[in-house]
Amino acid sequence: LVSVLSSAIIVYRLPWTWNCSKLLMKFIHAGLNTIAMILAIVSTVAVFEFHNAQNIPNMYSLHSWIGLTAVIFYSLQLFLGFVVFLLPFAPVSLRAALMPIHVYSGLTIFATVIATALMGITEKLIFALQNPAYSTSPPEATFVNCLGLLLVVFGALILWMASRPHWKRPPEENAKVLLPVGDTTEGTEAESTMAGGSNADKSELKISSEAARKQNVKLDEAGQRSTM
């Protein structure tokens, strides 16, 4: 979940993907999240089955509470992401309004997953290392503690990439995505139909088209930080 979810988060942030179509990146983003969700469900079921087979109580630790909460909220995040951002039914205004919430919740879930992993490996060490004990810092403990530090560094790097403006996909690459069907970025098609009109009409049309374009770019900028 840590590795695949992090890949889904930064898929829009990689400069070599900015020349790809927005729709393609949406499908890749959604596909990675779907894979991560399937793996999370399979592993959660495996944990419950293992606990039941070994007569270990379920859902007693903070690790299990936060882990199950992360899986539940991640499934809701994935469902709403499909409905609002992938399917072509939600209006642009709704997408722009929900995008900040979508981004924040995605990053929060990722940070929660990192915290769950850290608590899980610590809990496993305490239970598994008896002779020698975890408190005596055997090589196994040192190795897993280093793994925990690497998880923290990795999570911080992903969150940094997802929050820096200069890593954001340029809005000019995607401004046309938010325009109504049949519209144009500069209004050239509409102007060609007004060829016989007055210069004043053409000027007003240009001003109107430019205002609409700026509005769509603003909406697109609000929606470019998608991490799903």
Side-chain angles (χ1 to χ4, degrees):
L1 187 58
V2 171
S3 59
V4 181
L5 176 56
S6 62
S7 300
I9 288 175
I10 64 171
V11 70
Y12 288 111
R13 301 286 176 160
L14 303 176
W16 54 84
T17 67
W18 292 347
N19 291 328
C20 300
S21 69
K22 181 68 176 293
L23 183 61
L24 174 62
M25 301 314 300
K26 278 188 176 183
F27 278 117
I28 295 176
H29 180 73
L32 289 172
N33 276 285
T34 302
I35 293 173
M37 187 71 252
I38 293 173
L39 295 177
I41 293 174
V42 170
S43 59
T44 302
V45 172
V47 168
F48 278 99
E49 291 185 350
F50 175 78
H51 280 199
N52 294 335
Q54 299 293 325
N55 294 321
I56 301 175
N58 291 309
M59 300 301 300
Y60 67 90
S61 65
L62 182 61
H63 164 70
S64 61
W65 286 21
I66 296 181
L68 187 60
T69 300
V71 172
I72 293 174
F73 277 95
Y74 187 40
S75 61
L76 294 176
Q77 172 88 343
L78 184 60
F79 174 75
L80 292 177
F82 268 108
V83 172
V84 176
F85 299 104
L86 190 62
L87 299 180
F89 303 119
V92 172
S93 58
L94 177 62
R95 296 184 183 186
L98 293 181
M99 182 58 68
I101 301 175
H102 181 73
V103 172
Y104 176 79
S105 58
L107 296 179
T108 302
I109 291 171
F110 176 71
T112 303
V113 169
I114 294 289
T116 302
L118 295 175
M119 288 185 289
I121 61 178
T122 303
E123 181 181 297
K124 182 64 177 178
L125 281 177
I126 293 174
F127 291 155
L129 293 180
Q130 299 296 331
N131 187 23
Y134 182 29
S135 58
T136 62
S137 298
E140 297 89 344
T142 302
F143 175 78
V144 177
N145 286 347
C146 291
L147 173 63
L149 290 176
L150 289 176
L151 278 174
V152 172
V153 173
F154 177 74
L157 179 62
I158 295 299
L159 294 176
W160 182 83
M161 291 180 63
S163 59
R164 297 300 92 190
H166 58 272
W167 283 93
K168 184 171 65 173
R169 184 182 174 96
E172 61 270 16
E173 297 289 336
N174 309 285
K176 293 181 180 180
V177 174
L178 296 179
L179 290 173
V181 176
D183 203 355
T184 58
T185 304
E186 300 294 338
T188 55
E189 292 181 6
E191 289 181 25
S192 64
T193 62
M194 298 290 293
S198 65
N199 291 332
D201 291 338
K202 292 182 180 179
S203 177
E204 291 178 0
L205 179 58
K206 289 182 179 179
I207 295 174
S208 177
S209 299
E210 180 67 17
R213 186 189 67 82
K214 290 181 178 180
Q215 178 66 23
N216 280 284
V217 169
K218 288 181 180 179
L219 289 175
D220 183 56
E221 288 177 347
Q224 284 306 306
R225 297 187 300 169
S226 174
T227 60
M228 200 167 181

